[in-house]
Amino acid sequence: QVQLQESGPGLVKPSETLSLTCAVSGYSISSGYYWGWIRQPPGKGLEWIGSIYHSGSTYYNPSLKSRVTISVDTSKNQFSLKLSSVTAADTAVYYCARGAPYYYGSGNYYFDYWGQGTLVTVSS
Amino acid sequence: DIQMTQSPSSVSASVGDRVTITCRASQGISSWLAWYQQKPGKAPKLLIYAASSLQSGVPSRFSGSGSGTDFTLTISSLQPEDFATYYCQQANSFPVFGPGTKVDIK
């Protein structure tokens, strides 16, 4: 059974960098799939932040691209998110999820396994 | 960028009702559409992918249809555990979610 678990600080100061890690169990990240981050501001909808392919290629939401870095540590079977220069608008529940391609080599995917989510509040 | 809309934004229904939610893409996305269910305080749960394929373990009262720009999620007989918010998601370019449809108790 694939499981994902987010971890990281729950409070980040404005202008600083938000850093989260997603630990994956039950599947080796290096074996395939996309590995993504999605966020949800309180009371609002879902926003894709970015994904990393098992090969290491990264894909980011154009609206966040200048501030986002996603990386993978295959030795620990985990991947990470860094979001720089945060403001109150970045306050949200952050989810990590596995992206399943519709077919082999496809850039189109859906999210079949999700972490439970972690609330990150940006405040001084 | 491809935009997603959903209608209605909310619907009140009773147990046993048939509920249909519509998702529309701003341009054609073939059948690259997924549906998720989210309950308060929980992560989204995949229900349908490829517009009409039921994810393993999801009850058969959930069904999806459509292709191109117009898609529907149907709950054939609403159960108490189905009261939740439902999101569509396209994957034709980068992942984009619809704004959600809240299904609550009438």
Side-chain angles (χ1 to χ4, degrees):
Chain A
Q1 175 73 347
V2 179
Q3 293 184 314
L4 297 91
Q5 178 68 58
E6 306 89 350
S7 62
L11 181 64
V12 181
K13 290 182 169 55
S15 79
E16 295 190 344
T17 296
L18 178 159
S19 296
L20 296 173
T21 296
C22 180
V24 179
S25 59
Y27 189 84
S28 172
I29 285 180
S30 58
S31 294
Y33 290 89
Y34 292 84
W35 303 91
W37 290 96
I38 300 102
R39 70 180 183 178
Q40 185 172 38
K44 296 188 178 180
L46 300 164
E47 179 182 35
W48 174 73
I49 300 169
S51 301
I52 188 164
Y53 195 43
H54 68 94
S55 63
S57 298
T58 52
Y59 307 86
Y60 300 134
N61 189 320
S63 68
L64 298 169
K65 186 174 183 177
S66 63
R67 299 194 291 131
V68 175
T69 302
I70 295 175
S71 59
V72 64
D73 185 339
T74 54
S75 67
K76 294 182 178 179
N77 211 41
Q78 63 186 32
F79 61 106
S80 299
L81 167 71
K82 291 188 184 300
L83 180 66
S84 64
S85 305
V86 298
T87 70
D90 295 309
T91 293
V93 175
Y94 286 75
Y95 296 100
C96 58
R98 188 178 81 166
Y102 278 101
Y103 53 87
Y104 180 78
S106 169
N108 303 334
Y109 52 96
Y110 54 92
F111 297 101
D112 58 354
Y113 289 95
W114 295 65
Q116 65 185 25
T118 187
L119 175 63
V120 179
T121 302
V122 178
S123 175
S124 55
Chain B
D1 298 346
I2 298 176
Q3 305 300 317
M4 307 299 291
T5 57
Q6 286 183 234
S7 61
S9 57
S10 66
V11 57
S12 295
S14 301
V15 172
D17 284 353
R18 181 183 183 89
V19 174
T20 298
I21 298 168
T22 297
C23 176
R24 177 166 289 174
S26 59
Q27 57 185 275
I29 58 170
S30 186
S31 296
W32 309 133
L33 186 99
W35 288 96
Y36 302 85
Q37 175 194 66
Q38 187 180 33
K39 296 180 179 179
K42 300 295 186 181
K45 172 187 174 183
L46 177 68
L47 299 175
I48 302 277
Y49 62 95
S52 61
S53 296
L54 195 66
Q55 174 69 350
S56 176
V58 174
S60 59
R61 62 181 179 273
F62 291 94
S63 64
S65 65
S67 67
T69 59
D70 296 318
F71 302 87
T72 60
L73 172 70
T74 299
I75 310 171
S76 60
S77 178
L78 198 66
Q79 297 302 299
E81 59 268 31
D82 299 337
F83 292 99
T85 300
Y86 294 84
Y87 295 93
C88 60
Q89 177 237 324
Q90 68 87 10
N92 202 57
S93 51
F94 60 87
V96 175
F97 293 88
T101 295
K102 184 176 182 180
V103 178
D104 60 21
I105 301 172
K106 194 172 192 177

